[in-house]
Amino acid sequence: MVDTVVRGGTLVAEGLPQADIAIEGGRIQAIGRDLPGGKEEIDARGLHVFPGIIDVHLHFNEPGRTEWEGGETGSRAFAAGGGTLYFDMPLNSTPCTVNAREFDRKCAALSAVSITDFALWGGLVPGNIPEMAELAARGVVGFKAFLCDSGLPEFPRADDLTLLEGLREAARLGLLIAVHAESEELTQALRRRMVEEDRSSIRDFLTSRPVVAEVEAIQRATLFAGEASAKLHIVHVSTGRGVVAAAEARARGVGVSIETCPHYLFFTEEDVERLGAVAKCAPPLREKREQDQLWVELLKGTVDIVASDHSPAPPEMKSGDFNQAWGGIAGVQSTLAVMLERGHHARGMPLERIGSLLAAQPACRFRIANKGRLIPGADADLAIVDVSKSFELHADDLMQRHPMSPYINACFRGAVTRTIRRGETIFMNGRITAQSRGALVRPI
Ligand SMILES: [Zn+2]
């Protein structure tokens, strides 16, 4: 008798209708109709079974800045949203993950507290290219670089030469570079001018980070990636024009993947003005016209991955003067809900496409074996979802450290009823049930 059978759910996978999933030793042993009984029986009739969400971009800040979030609270919130594997960014932990010693420290910290599996990004900063090989040997999924100021002095931006040489080293190591693509020249000059003219409104902030700053940085980064024959991943592309710029490079043969985030698909500039600092991020939320274009590209299939970029801060850093407030949106629990509400229900996006953006393509792009798909032999990472269940998100529902999020009071159709990580139910009906901890996952 197998450990568990998930019975009668509608599987979110190509060509798979209603079926049972047999789980043995944390892996999917078989998929089919009327499978023999298991020691544990999970009734999923009337529900959809997604592959567990793989979030390739978030900041849990272990070690060193756990008062902002932390792997325990962060992974609980992630699990509540159907998540089973996340990739933690090299900042805003401190020290940042820019060498093997800091990789080991972060890995130890997350191993002790995370209820989901995790993988780690390394950082690319001026001076640390000699560290990249050791980070690769430890098992980083890639290296993250900022083309503009990161907001944290301990993680300086990559100048052009650092980026170019970092791309060459990453190519040699068979890994990719991820870039935060906004022009330093434009954003800094516009910010200086804003300060000189004593302008400090939310609208002034938005104007200081224009769309062209994103498009120019994407064009430069893709040019360098082509020159270095390297793989590139553009994080949090906020506009349709940014997606098109990256796709044009891809059409020329550059190995680039494109990520966007739920907040660019859900909120607009008007929401930042309405909600204030809780909706502040960089690149900033955009006007409706830009958001519509981003949706066009997403529905066409040009975007590869949707990731949360969960980047929380303590409440005191998200209140007061908007221009001094931390730029980062806390939304790790809501990614699937946003895609179901705004993608599936509002725009007819097929559920298989959502499963692909949130699980299959992240696993494929980052060479994570045995995850992201509902197939025999894969890890039994599942999100069981009532796709049509309506709910309004309340602060009490949030499991992250500080229950602040622009999604509070938003209404969604699509609720996660259970999350299973390698065969173990870690979240069910609003409660965390995990007994064991998650583990480090390395690319193959
Ligand atoms: Zn980020």
Side-chain angles (χ1 to χ4, degrees):
M1 191 180 268
V2 298
D3 295 335
T4 304
V5 176
V6 178
R7 189 78 63 192
T10 302
L11 307 196
V12 179
E14 231 165 281
L16 281 174
Q18 207 175 15
D20 304 334
I21 299 178
I23 300 170
E24 176 69 21
R27 293 200 165 198
I28 297 176
Q29 188 223 44
I31 295 177
R33 297 211 172 197
D34 303 320
L35 295 179
K39 290 173 213 150
E40 179 191 24
E41 288 275 325
I42 295 172
D43 185 1
R45 283 172 299 179
L47 302 172
H48 283 79
V49 182
F50 283 75
I53 292 171
I54 300 176
D55 191 335
V56 306
H57 183 167
L58 52 71
H59 306 260
F60 284 168
N61 307 344
E62 294 265 5
R65 244 187 216 106
T66 48
E67 71 278 17
W68 291 22
E69 180 59 279
E72 181 173 6
T73 46
S75 68
R76 290 163 76 96
F78 181 48
T84 51
L85 168 64
Y86 60 86
F87 299 179
D88 193 74
M89 280 292 172
L91 71 167
N92 315 319
S93 52
T94 189
C96 303
T97 319
V98 293
N99 55 47
R101 186 180 65 250
E102 294 311 327
F103 180 102
D104 293 344
R105 274 169 36 113
K106 180 176 281 190
C107 184
L110 291 176
S111 299
V113 296
S114 180
I115 66 163
T116 68
D117 289 338
F118 58 90
L120 303 188
W121 284 97
L124 169 63
V125 293
N128 89 319
I129 290 173
E131 309 283 350
M132 289 170 68
E134 218 179 344
L135 280 164
R138 286 294 200 280
V140 292
V141 288
F143 302 91
K144 164 81 176 289
F146 273 75
L147 304 192
C148 60
D149 180 41
S150 77
L152 292 175
E154 68 266 35
F155 198 91
R157 76 180 186 91
D159 56 89
D160 281 358
L161 187 59
T162 298
L163 177 62
L164 186 58
E165 293 182 341
L167 282 160
R168 289 202 177 111
E169 178 66 354
R172 189 181 74 79
L173 297 168
L175 289 167
L176 54 73
I177 297 280
V179 289
H180 175 131
E182 281 186 291
S183 157
E184 172 75 357
E185 288 263 336
L186 278 173
T187 55
Q188 283 308 311
L190 287 167
R191 184 167 179 86
R192 262 198 312 277
R193 182 185 289 171
M194 199 178 124
V195 172
E196 281 161 16
E197 294 176 358
D198 203 20
R199 290 184 290 108
S200 60
S201 72
I202 293 178
R203 179 59 56 180
D204 290 326
F205 166 78
L206 297 170
T207 317
S208 76
R209 304 193 85 103
V211 174
V212 66
E214 174 172 86
V215 176
E216 187 277 335
I218 289 172
Q219 287 178 338
R220 184 158 31 97
T222 52
L223 174 70
F224 284 18
E227 187 70 19
S229 302
K231 289 195 293 179
L232 183 71
H233 178 70
I234 319 267
V235 301
H236 54 47
V237 180
S238 65
T239 61
R241 280 190 275 166
V243 173
V244 168
E248 282 170 359
R250 182 152 60 195
R252 291 195 306 272
V254 179
V256 58
S257 48
I258 304 165
E259 168 198 304
T260 190
C261 307
H263 38 273
Y264 300 116
L265 300 165
F266 196 86
F267 299 110
T268 62
E269 287 182 345
E270 285 67 43
D271 295 308
V272 195
E273 293 190 292
R274 179 172 61 83
L275 294 164
V278 74
K280 180 182 177 183
C281 59
L285 300 176
R286 303 297 190 181
E287 61 184 294
K288 177 79 168 57
R289 189 168 50 102
E290 296 290 350
Q291 187 187 61
D292 289 343
Q293 282 308 307
L294 182 59
W295 268 110
V296 167
E297 296 302 328
L298 192 70
L299 290 163
K300 272 193 341 205
T302 322
V303 175
D304 304 285
I305 291 171
V306 175
S308 72
D309 192 10
H310 178 72
S311 180
E316 59 274 19
M317 293 180 70
K318 289 298 260 179
S319 53
D321 178 13
F322 182 88
N323 279 292
Q324 298 303 318
W326 176 251
I329 283 184
V332 71
Q333 203 169 318
S334 305
T335 302
L336 180 58
V338 168
M339 295 307 292
L340 290 172
E341 174 59 40
R342 295 292 170 91
H344 180 65
H345 292 295
R347 292 178 173 84
M349 179 178 260
L351 296 176
E352 292 73 19
R353 178 87 191 113
I354 293 175
S356 178
L357 287 163
L358 301 186
Q361 292 189 149
C364 178
R365 177 61 171 164
F366 291 92
R367 305 197 323 269
I368 305 298
N370 301 324
K371 287 190 183 288
R373 291 163 71 200
L374 302 178
I375 51 169
D379 285 352
D381 291 344
L382 314 174
I384 303 181
V385 180
D386 185 340
V387 164
S388 51
K389 185 178 175 187
S390 301
F391 71 98
E392 188 180 303
L393 187 76
H394 297 127
D396 307 355
D397 304 325
L398 294 174
M399 299 202 179
Q400 63 219 41
R401 172 138 303 166
H402 304 290
M404 290 182 76
S405 167
Y407 294 110
I408 291 172
N409 296 329
C411 293
F412 298 100
R413 283 164 289 176
V416 176
T417 62
R418 184 191 286 255
T419 306
I420 298 174
R421 183 258 297 134
R422 285 183 282 112
E424 178 183 340
T425 293
I426 57 172
F427 169 83
M428 183 169 62
N429 299 329
R431 287 193 12 259
I432 296 296
T433 55
Q435 299 296 316
S436 70
R437 293 287 161 265
L440 176 73
V441 172
R442 295 184 176 87
I444 49 169

